[in-house]
Amino acid sequence: MARAKNVIHAVELETDRFNLVPIRPLSLVWPTWHWTKDRESFASLGWRTSGWTPRRWWRHLRHQVQRNRMCHGIWLKQGGTCIGLHVASVSVGARSAFVGVIVGERDWWAKGVVAEVRSAILDDCFTRLKLERVGAQVQARNLASVYNHRRLGFTHEGTLRSAGIDRDGSRVDMLMFGMLREEWMARREHRDGDGRL
């Protein structure tokens, strides 16, 4: 964190299977534009699910790397393909972040990508950036995402009734999850001891 300007900078991170690389929007537009046609993927982050053009997608990616935002491309170590994005909006004053993830390549759904990537992001948020809290919002119907947050140790802190719109246009509840620094550090210490999340 550059304290003089209170600007957050994403840094390259690594997991067992992935390199998490701060995105360069222009170079990422064409390899990932086909993701914009997958309404189910984009609905999970609350991003628009139609009307994308390459220019609009580029502008959206560019927005993800503005001040106090971190966006990492999730790149396979084997093969060098970008399979998803992890985004974090950081409030420097509150020492907190709000995070979301999209796995754009369906071949990688249900293969532990989110838990592996999010673990590295949480480590970065709580150690390098010294944040005190990380939060996330999930559609109640998105059982895979609810499972991933529970698996990582997030606490369900509340429900916003009918606060979201599903891809079919129906209203859905939004679940609020949160993780505190001391909770993550205790889990990390336990994980270091037995090698599990």
Side-chain angles (χ1 to χ4, degrees):
M1 183 174 1
R3 293 194 184 275
K5 295 182 181 179
N6 287 332
V7 176
I8 298 298
H9 296 284
V11 297
E12 192 164 332
L13 304 170
E14 184 178 346
T15 72
D16 289 341
R17 296 180 292 170
F18 309 111
N19 290 316
L20 308 181
V21 181
I23 69 165
R24 294 187 321 232
L26 190 57
S27 64
L28 206 56
V29 169
W30 290 113
T32 62
W33 186 51
H34 65 281
W35 298 352
T36 64
K37 309 213 183 305
D38 190 337
R39 293 170 55 100
E40 191 171 353
S41 293
F42 274 41
S44 68
L45 277 180
W47 291 354
R48 68 185 311 134
T49 57
S50 63
W52 290 100
T53 63
R55 178 173 172 75
R56 182 171 276 166
W57 180 229
W58 167 71
R59 290 179 68 181
H60 184 77
L61 290 173
R62 191 176 67 172
H63 178 72
Q64 302 306 316
V65 295
Q66 291 179 356
R67 178 178 174 151
N68 296 339
R69 283 181 176 266
M70 298 189 302
C71 187
H72 290 88
I74 305 168
W75 293 83
L76 297 176
K77 285 184 175 179
Q78 299 289 327
T81 302
C82 185
I83 65 164
L85 300 173
H86 189 283
V87 296
S89 179
V90 180
S91 172
V92 176
R95 294 173 61 192
S96 66
F98 199 78
V99 296
V101 66
I102 177 174
V103 178
E105 300 296 336
R106 282 183 172 245
D107 290 348
W108 283 90
W109 285 18
K111 293 188 177 176
V113 175
V114 175
E116 185 175 333
V117 167
R118 182 66 54 77
S119 292
I121 297 292
L122 289 170
D123 276 341
D124 186 50
C125 285
F126 290 129
T127 56
R128 179 178 69 91
L129 298 178
K130 306 293 188 212
L131 301 183
E132 292 297 329
R133 171 185 167 75
V134 171
Q137 182 173 288
V138 177
Q139 282 190 3
R141 294 180 187 171
N142 188 342
L143 300 181
S145 189
V146 171
Y147 168 78
N148 281 320
H149 284 85
R150 295 274 193 202
R151 177 182 175 193
L152 286 167
F154 279 81
T155 298
H156 173 223
E157 297 178 329
T159 300
L160 303 177
R161 296 175 299 157
S162 293
I165 300 176
D166 205 354
R167 62 185 180 277
D168 64 4
S170 62
R171 305 295 303 188
V172 294
D173 292 347
M174 300 301 294
L175 307 181
M176 306 301 295
F177 285 94
M179 171 79 72
L180 302 180
R181 183 175 189 274
E182 59 266 24
E183 294 168 342
W184 179 253
M185 299 310 278
R187 285 182 66 83
R188 192 174 79 155
E189 185 176 318
H190 179 72
R191 183 184 69 205
D192 290 345
D194 65 14
R196 294 177 298 161
L197 283 172

